[in-house]
Amino acid sequence: MKLAILTATPVLMAAIWMDEQPAYKPYQAPVLAPPKGAVPVTGKENVSQEFVEKNPVAPTVESLEQGETLFAINCSLCHGLSSAERGPVGKKLTPHPPGLDHDMVQGLSDSDIFRAITSGFGRMPPFQGKLTVQDRWNLINYLRTRR
């Protein structure tokens, strides 16, 4: 009996140790920062913090419609379809994401909004790989018309 207990003890201790390992929650990616001085080599678009550009896309009816569609698909879940109420995901976040109403957007330059959409901001994910440059400018055109 003592021999069985002595043999089983290391196995049981290993099982206890395995339960206490750090683990990520579902859908929580580890936050990894690139090493200092790292250079991206993926060939993807890189928007620097000094990026300053005016919106090259004219706010045509087609651009505004495309921007509205993109907003409904990509932004409204958090920011809400109207600035009065957050979307279903945004209601679960604390603090709630800002409503992208006219006054808030008017205080930002087009390049500031473009950079936030491209690289992300706070909890907002980057949309650089999800939306084309043209799509992001269409989205900015739409944001300028929201009330």
Side-chain angles (χ1 to χ4, degrees), residues 7-104:
T7 322
T9 301
V11 174
L12 293 174
M13 293 303 291
I16 291 170
W17 173 79
M18 289 174 59
D19 286 343
E20 295 179 5
Q21 292 185 33
Y24 295 104
K25 295 179 181 178
Y27 305 110
Q28 179 187 10
V31 178
L32 302 175
K36 187 173 184 173
V39 177
V41 293
T42 59
K44 293 186 177 183
E45 167 190 11
N46 189 12
V47 178
S48 71
Q49 293 300 318
E50 295 83 32
F51 177 79
V52 177
E53 186 176 335
K54 291 188 177 188
N55 188 340
V57 178
T60 62
V61 173
E62 182 181 320
S63 171
L64 295 174
E65 288 174 353
Q66 181 69 22
E68 183 175 14
T69 302
L70 291 167
F71 184 86
I73 293 169
N74 296 290
C75 310
S76 66
L77 289 173
C78 292
H79 295 285
L81 283 173
S82 72
S83 58
E85 185 175 357
R86 302 301 161 261
V89 175
K91 289 178 183 176
K92 295 179 182 191
L93 298 174
T94 303
H96 298 308
L100 300 176
D101 60 358
H102 185 73
D103 293 336
M104 179 193 176

